[in-house]
Amino acid sequence: MENLINYFQNIPSLHRSLILVGGITLFWLLEGILPLVRFKYKKWKHALPNLFFTMTTVLVNFALAFLLLKTADWTVANNFGVINWLPTMPLWAYVLIGLMLLDFIGAYLAHLTEHKVKPLWMVHLVHHTDHNVDTTTANRHHPLESMIRFTFTLFGVFIVGAPIGLVMLYQSLSLVLSQFNHANIKLPRGLDKVISYVIVSPDMHKVHHHYKLPYTDSNYGNIFSIWDRLLGTYMEYDRDRIVYGVDTFFDEEENGKIKVLLKQPFHKYRNHTGFEETP
């Protein structure tokens, strides 16, 4: 475990890039072998806007990475944060608790907030207006959302008191698990169910991408499924009946255009009562 943390503490940029590209490649290939939905789309054409937003996410995180490093180093130097206040225990326990808390603050809490605060929901819409959810959807985030998510992660690092090695491990796991649970793959229902008791499985997360409430407002987790189960936001729905997208932004062609998606957070939309609103 110590070697693992040391590796991620000094992980080369090339290796981080390989995790990103390798994950997309692996699940892209699995989607061709075990597809959940046989989408009638040109896979590369669908992937282009998603890959564009993946690159903007990478750029935002790269530009702000020094803040993570400074914050992590400060918490360690000042013995600040939850895991630094815990009694002596094995390293693996520190790592597990740290990962779970970072996942709660940086993923679950961030995601829940984006759904409950209207201006943030309008930013988050870009992720939900994909009508063909697959592994490339994982990082389909508007640049503004990338900044929002980074802020929550930074807050998590501060509260948890995570050293940079743990932060890099968390971000790598978060990336790969997001690619996994968005992937258009069909696991045996029983296996998916078992997986969902520990980590967020594809069937579990796909419920979140159903186009209608209350399912859209459920299953916010990214790595660990425990937060949804503990906090009452866990829901199930037949994976064969899921329809992707958002019922207020139903134009699939428009939702595949980068220019439209960049402007989407500032778009007037019709709410469920039929009245136009602005964020």
Side-chain angles (χ1 to χ4, degrees):
M1 184 61 70
E2 185 175 353
N3 289 337
L4 180 67
I5 297 300
N6 288 337
Y7 166 74
F8 278 99
Q9 182 174 336
N10 302 288
I11 185 172
S13 296
L14 174 60
H15 291 192
R16 297 188 68 188
S17 300
L18 289 175
I19 291 172
L20 170 64
V21 175
I24 291 177
T25 302
L26 172 62
F27 296 119
W28 182 295
L29 292 173
L30 288 176
E31 288 175 340
I33 300 170
L34 300 168
L36 174 61
V37 182
R38 295 192 179 278
F39 292 127
K40 297 179 180 179
Y41 70 172
K42 293 182 179 179
K43 198 171 178 72
W44 275 105
K45 183 178 180 180
H46 166 261
L48 286 177
N50 294 352
L51 294 177
F52 169 81
F53 286 111
T54 297
M55 290 302 102
T56 60
T57 298
V58 169
L59 289 174
V60 168
N61 281 278
F62 180 78
L64 300 175
F66 74 97
L67 292 175
L68 283 181
L69 177 61
K70 294 294 185 182
T71 301
D73 288 348
W74 183 88
T75 62
V76 172
N78 291 274
N79 198 39
F80 182 86
V82 174
I83 63 172
N84 295 311
W85 300 331
L86 292 174
T88 302
M89 61 180 67
L91 179 59
W92 66 265
Y94 282 110
V95 171
L96 179 59
I97 293 170
L99 288 175
M100 293 183 70
L101 291 175
L102 287 172
D103 181 55
F104 173 69
I105 299 171
Y108 179 89
L109 190 59
H111 201 173
L112 175 69
T113 304
E114 287 175 331
H115 277 252
K116 300 305 180 183
V117 179
K118 188 180 294 182
L120 300 187
W121 165 244
M122 292 301 293
V123 174
H124 184 52
L125 262 175
V126 171
H127 182 69
H128 276 269
T129 52
D130 193 336
H131 296 256
N132 302 287
V133 174
D134 64 18
T135 193
T136 67
T137 310
N139 290 297
R140 176 182 160 124
H141 298 299
H142 193 280
L144 289 176
E145 179 172 9
S146 298
M147 297 176 70
I148 293 166
R149 292 272 180 142
F150 181 90
T151 301
F152 273 88
T153 299
L154 186 66
F155 180 67
V157 172
F158 178 73
I159 295 298
V160 175
I164 195 62
L166 181 59
V167 176
M168 293 296 103
L169 174 59
Y170 160 70
Q171 289 195 317
S172 298
L173 287 174
S174 180
L175 173 62
V176 174
L177 265 294
S178 183
Q179 292 170 340
F180 167 65
N181 58 48
H182 284 87
N184 179 40
I185 55 177
K186 187 176 185 178
L187 298 178
R189 291 181 188 270
L191 175 60
D192 192 286
K193 181 71 173 179
V194 170
I195 290 173
S196 74
Y197 283 112
V198 182
I199 62 174
V200 179
S201 66
D203 285 1
M204 177 181 169
H205 189 70
K206 297 303 192 308
V207 174
H208 179 77
H209 279 272
H210 188 53
Y211 79 115
K212 282 188 175 181
L213 294 171
Y215 300 101
T216 312
D217 287 347
S218 69
N219 300 1
Y220 297 109
N222 185 41
I223 298 178
F224 299 102
S225 60
I226 187 175
W227 306 121
D228 284 296
R229 294 179 181 276
L230 283 178
L231 299 174
T233 53
Y234 175 78
M235 293 190 74
E236 295 183 2
Y237 193 69
D238 184 352
R239 67 188 185 186
D240 295 326
R241 298 174 59 193
I242 291 174
V243 178
Y244 300 128
V246 179
D247 55 0
T248 51
F249 284 80
F250 49 79
D251 192 326
E252 183 172 349
E253 183 177 351
E254 288 292 288
N255 292 332
K257 296 178 180 178
I258 294 173
K259 288 184 179 180
V260 172
L261 294 172
L262 285 170
K263 295 186 292 184
Q264 205 163 65
F266 316 103
H267 198 287
K268 287 186 177 181
Y269 72 105
R270 292 189 179 276
N271 64 18
H272 295 290
T273 66
F275 293 101
E276 280 196 347
E277 295 184 352
T278 52

